Amino acid sequence: VVSTQSTGVRREESGQSCDVLDGICNSPSPNENTADSSQELEQAKKELEELMERLKVENDKILQEVKDWKASKNQEKLAFESAVKESQSEVKELGLQINEGQEAIKALSEELLEKFQKLENENSALRGRVDELENLLTTKVENIVSELGSIREKMETSVDDEEEAALSPSSVQDLINRSLKLFAADEVAMPDYALESSGAVVFTIGDTEPYTKDTPWMGLFGISIWRSCKTPRLAIQKENSPGNCWSFAGDKGTLTIQLSAQVFPEYFTLDHIPLELAPNNNASSAPNHFRVLGLDYGNAPKGHVLGNYEFTQFPIQTFQVQQNPYEKYFRFIKVEILSNYGNKDYTCLYRFRVHGRPYDTDTYNG
């Protein structure tokens, strides 16, 4: 800025006031410069502190983020390691299960093979037994035919009155009946360990009620005192003519037999009279469904169920033991009659047989 006055020219330039004519410039004072510099320094210091504070905050934030990231990664690492260990454990357990399954399959295969072999052996033995029975039956029939032929020949050639009397129709019928009875008795062709004459006895009939309604009165000096009843011993005797049976009230009853020996049971046989010999061909009193149990002792409250059966083939039917899982030998056999063929008053048991292998201390491993 240049100004012209009467006393000279005055110039203000660069913060200085100068008198051109006098050649003198007025500069700011030293105190003014120091104050301005201090203010600028304070301002710069303040700005620097604020910057440092922001940098510190930002640095702490970054450090915290790094710390959180490290913690997160550590957790992920631990979780991954735990998952790996768990997977390894599951794989190991699965391997053990596979090994156990393979062992079980192997054992089951061996067991099935053993059972199959056992069944094959039993089947072979059964086939042999059937062939033996067929041969025996053929022989018996041939003997009966031969005996009947001999009787017919004697009847045709005999002219003597005494011989005619001896070979009367009734005598021939008696002879035929005896032959048929002998044939029926031997038809099973297996030892009967429940036969009384061989040493078996009736141990108990439990709560079974004897049937006495149609039986005769027993008396003393002409006075009727009590009714007789058919003893259960008849069920373990050979004689089984019509009416000669053990009869009990209703359609349910039990019979416990002490066998003549300790036996490994294999078959049971139930006898009844032929339908042709029953009054009016009525078999309503015959047992129908029954169960057989093996007892560890005579009064055992529970037994080992050996089979449940249905009697359908008159007059004699043989049944195979259905189960004996512990392969036990028994001295006591219990027969439970569960139903008959419709008679509501009583049931008749003519004979019950037990077949099997007797106890042998040299071969028995039980």
Side-chain angles (χ1 to χ4, degrees):
V1 176
V2 178
S3 60
T4 305
Q5 296 180 355
S6 59
T7 56
V9 178
R10 186 176 180 85
R11 185 180 61 188
E12 291 181 5
E13 186 179 21
S14 299
Q16 296 179 347
S17 178
C18 300
D19 191 337
V20 177
L21 297 180
D22 297 334
I24 298 171
C25 291
N26 295 324
S27 298
S29 65
N31 290 334
E32 290 179 357
N33 290 336
T34 301
D36 291 340
S37 297
S38 295
Q39 288 180 358
E40 290 178 357
L41 287 176
E42 286 295 330
Q43 183 66 28
K45 181 178 179 182
K46 184 177 180 181
E47 291 178 355
L48 181 62
E49 288 177 352
E50 290 178 354
L51 178 61
M52 291 295 294
E53 185 67 24
R54 287 197 301 272
L55 290 174
K56 182 179 179 182
V57 171
E58 191 69 23
N59 183 58
D60 292 342
K61 183 178 179 180
I62 294 173
L63 290 177
Q64 184 63 39
E65 289 179 354
V66 171
K67 184 178 180 181
D68 294 342
W69 180 81
K70 288 183 178 180
S72 175
K73 291 300 179 181
N74 288 334
Q75 290 180 355
E76 291 179 359
K77 181 181 179 182
L78 293 176
F80 177 75
E81 291 177 351
S82 176
V84 170
K85 290 181 180 179
E86 185 176 354
S87 299
Q88 291 175 344
S89 177
E90 291 178 353
V91 170
K92 184 177 180 181
E93 184 178 355
L94 183 60
L96 293 176
Q97 291 178 356
I98 292 174
N99 292 334
E100 291 176 357
Q102 291 176 344
E103 292 294 331
I105 292 174
K106 182 179 179 182
L108 182 60
S109 300
E110 294 176 352
E111 182 180 357
L112 290 175
L113 182 61
E114 182 180 355
K115 288 185 177 180
F116 177 78
Q117 188 65 40
K118 184 177 179 181
L119 288 174
E120 183 67 22
N121 296 335
E122 291 179 354
N123 189 30
S124 299
L126 186 59
R127 284 198 298 267
R129 185 63 179 166
V130 170
D131 293 340
E132 181 181 349
L133 289 176
E134 287 180 351
N135 294 333
L136 180 62
L137 180 61
T138 302
T139 303
K140 292 295 181 181
V141 171
E142 290 176 353
N143 291 337
I144 292 175
V145 172
S146 176
E147 189 172 355
L148 292 175
S150 176
I151 293 172
R152 185 181 297 109
E153 183 179 350
K154 287 182 180 181
M155 291 180 65
E156 292 175 351
T157 58
S158 177
V159 295
D160 187 87
D161 293 340
E162 185 175 345
E163 288 184 359
E164 289 179 0
L167 294 175
S168 63
S170 61
S171 299
V172 174
Q173 185 62 45
D174 290 340
L175 182 59
I176 293 174
N177 288 339
R178 286 197 300 271
S179 299
L180 290 175
K181 187 179 296 184
L182 180 62
F183 171 72
D186 293 338
E187 183 185 28
V188 177
M190 289 186 289
D192 179 14
Y193 293 96
L195 185 62
E196 185 180 52
S197 60
S198 297
V201 296
V202 173
F203 186 82
T204 181
I205 61 172
D207 298 330
T208 306
E209 179 184 355
Y211 181 73
T212 60
K213 182 178 179 181
D214 296 330
T215 57
W217 283 91
M218 302 297 291
L220 183 64
F221 304 114
I223 302 174
S224 297
I225 300 177
W226 71 88
R227 282 187 181 273
S228 63
C229 62
K230 298 295 181 66
T231 171
R233 291 173 51 203
L234 294 172
I236 59 173
Q237 296 176 357
K238 278 190 174 182
E239 179 61 37
N240 58 356
S241 57
N244 195 42
C245 64
W246 173 47
S247 57
F248 54 87
D251 61 351
K252 294 179 176 59
T254 61
L255 175 68
T256 301
I257 306 169
Q258 181 177 331
L259 306 179
S260 58
Q262 194 169 5
V263 173
F264 183 86
E266 295 177 327
Y267 299 93
F268 306 113
T269 299
L270 194 145
D271 294 39
H272 199 75
I273 59 173
L275 295 178
E276 294 78 9
L277 300 181
N280 301 321
N281 294 335
N282 184 2
S284 63
S285 64
N288 186 6
H289 294 90
F290 67 97
R291 176 168 50 231
V292 183
L293 303 93
L295 304 181
D296 295 327
Y297 53 93
N299 290 324
K302 294 184 178 180
H304 305 270
V305 177
L306 302 177
N308 291 274
Y309 307 102
E310 181 180 6
F311 179 63
T312 58
Q313 300 176 13
F314 292 83
I316 299 175
Q317 186 173 356
T318 298
F319 306 88
Q320 188 173 9
V321 170
Q322 295 175 348
Q323 59 183 18
N324 186 3
Y326 300 106
E327 298 188 351
K328 293 180 67 67
Y329 285 69
F330 297 101
R331 188 65 186 272
F332 296 90
I333 293 292
K334 183 178 182 180
V335 188
E336 295 181 347
I337 306 299
L338 305 176
S339 67
N340 62 21
Y341 274 89
N343 195 314
K344 297 181 180 180
D345 296 326
Y346 64 94
T347 302
C348 278
L349 178 59
Y350 276 85
R351 185 178 176 187
F352 183 79
R353 316 186 201 188
V354 177
H355 317 289
R357 302 195 309 269
Y359 175 86
D360 186 349
T361 55
D362 293 332
T363 59
Y364 177 54
N365 59 4

